[in-house]
Amino acid sequence: VDFCSDARLTVDNMGKFHEKFDPHGQTPTMVLHNGDLSYAMGYAHIWDLFFDMIEPLAKKFAWMVSVGNHERDAPDSGNTYGNNDSGGECAVPTLTRFRMPWSSGPDRRHPHDEPWYSFEFGPVHFVMLATEMHLLGAQRNWLENDLKNVDREKTPWIVVSAHRPMYISSAWHRSGDKSADYPFAEHMQQAYENLFIKHKVDISFGAHHHSYQ
């Protein structure tokens, strides 16, 4: 109940913002949702409630998502950490309901194992990473190739979006728990920071921590 009321309030406020925000004859035209979308975690009716809530906005403009721990993480499922945060969903409902241009494409046998992608919107090249999957290997190779092929004349801005943040002021550091806030941020820096600097990424958006930083 608390989740539903909080989510409804958030969407209602976004709707009011969309209606009133008009400084130059324009309104917002995209939502960037960085994972932990519905918190369904195995309960399909929560997905239905979530889509009922966002429909007034999602039918008006693009709703672009990345995958968070509450969509993907499940023990022995191939994700990075093995926690049971998704309730066994393993991102299948997410990738089925949100038809993003996932890098693995519709013909791959297990697209939920490579849920990262990029797209262009106006003058911005957006990169959507999957922090619940391994940061090195296939994802890093894809990221490097994507960033080096951005046409900065066409899209002079590069924005990288991911569920878990690369930089965070958190003291959560359990011994041996690589999914804790600080160890993960440090790992992400080691994996990607040099690429972000080399290719002059402008902004990195993160979530997960339930705070504004």
Side-chain angles (χ1 to χ4, degrees), residues 177-188:
D177 186 355
K178 295 182 179 180
S179 70
D181 292 340
Y182 184 77
F184 177 82
E186 194 173 46
H187 173 48
M188 193 172 180

Side-chain angles (χ1 to χ4, degrees), residues 5-157:
S5 61
D6 289 347
R8 176 70 70 183
L9 179 62
T10 299
V11 173
D12 287 347
N13 286 335
M14 289 172 64
K16 292 176 183 177
F17 178 78
H18 175 69
E19 293 172 0
K20 294 180 179 180
F21 181 74
D22 192 24
H24 304 292
Q26 297 179 343
T27 58
T29 52
M30 185 182 70
V31 167
L32 204 64
H33 198 162
N34 286 13
D36 286 1
L37 309 174
S38 72
Y39 284 86
M41 295 180 286
Y43 294 91
H45 73 282
I46 299 295
W47 277 112
D48 293 336
L49 289 172
F50 173 73
F51 275 95
D52 284 343
M53 290 180 201
I54 71 170
E55 182 181 12
L57 295 180
K59 69 183 181 182
K60 294 180 180 179
F61 43 77
W63 198 288
M64 309 302 290
V65 306
S66 58
V67 176
N69 54 303
H70 288 292
E71 283 82 50
R72 182 60 184 86
D73 290 7
D76 302 317
S77 69
N79 71 302
T80 307
Y81 303 111
N83 302 325
N84 195 31
D85 297 338
S86 78
E89 288 193 353
C90 301
V92 174
T94 304
L95 275 68
T96 302
R97 292 170 182 265
F98 286 97
R99 306 300 291 177
M100 301 292 106
W102 310 108
S103 66
S104 53
D107 298 326
R108 293 291 293 272
R109 184 176 180 184
H110 299 294
H112 56 288
D113 287 332
E114 296 184 354
W116 50 80
Y117 64 98
S118 65
F119 67 98
E120 293 175 352
F121 194 89
V124 183
H125 181 86
F126 287 93
V127 178
M128 308 292 277
L129 297 178
T131 55
E132 307 317 298
M133 310 309 296
H134 295 288
L135 301 184
L136 302 176
Q139 184 165 198
R140 191 185 190 282
N141 293 338
W142 172 87
L143 174 62
E144 183 170 19
N145 185 65
D146 183 83
L147 291 176
K148 75 179 182 182
N149 286 299
V150 175
D151 183 351
R152 300 304 283 262
E153 294 293 323
K154 180 182 177 183
T155 51
W157 294 87

Side-chain angles (χ1 to χ4, degrees), residues 124-127 129 143-144 146-148 150 152 155-161 166-167 192-205:
V124 183
H125 181 86
F126 287 93
V127 178
L129 297 178
L143 174 62
E144 183 170 19
D146 183 83
L147 291 176
K148 75 179 182 182
V150 175
R152 300 304 283 262
T155 51
W157 294 87
I158 297 179
V159 172
V160 175
S161 177
M166 177 180 283
Y167 308 105
Y192 295 153
E193 190 178 54
N194 63 331
L195 289 181
F196 286 16
I197 294 171
K198 177 180 178 180
H199 297 287
K200 297 180 171 60
V201 169
D202 296 287
I203 303 171
S204 175
F205 289 135

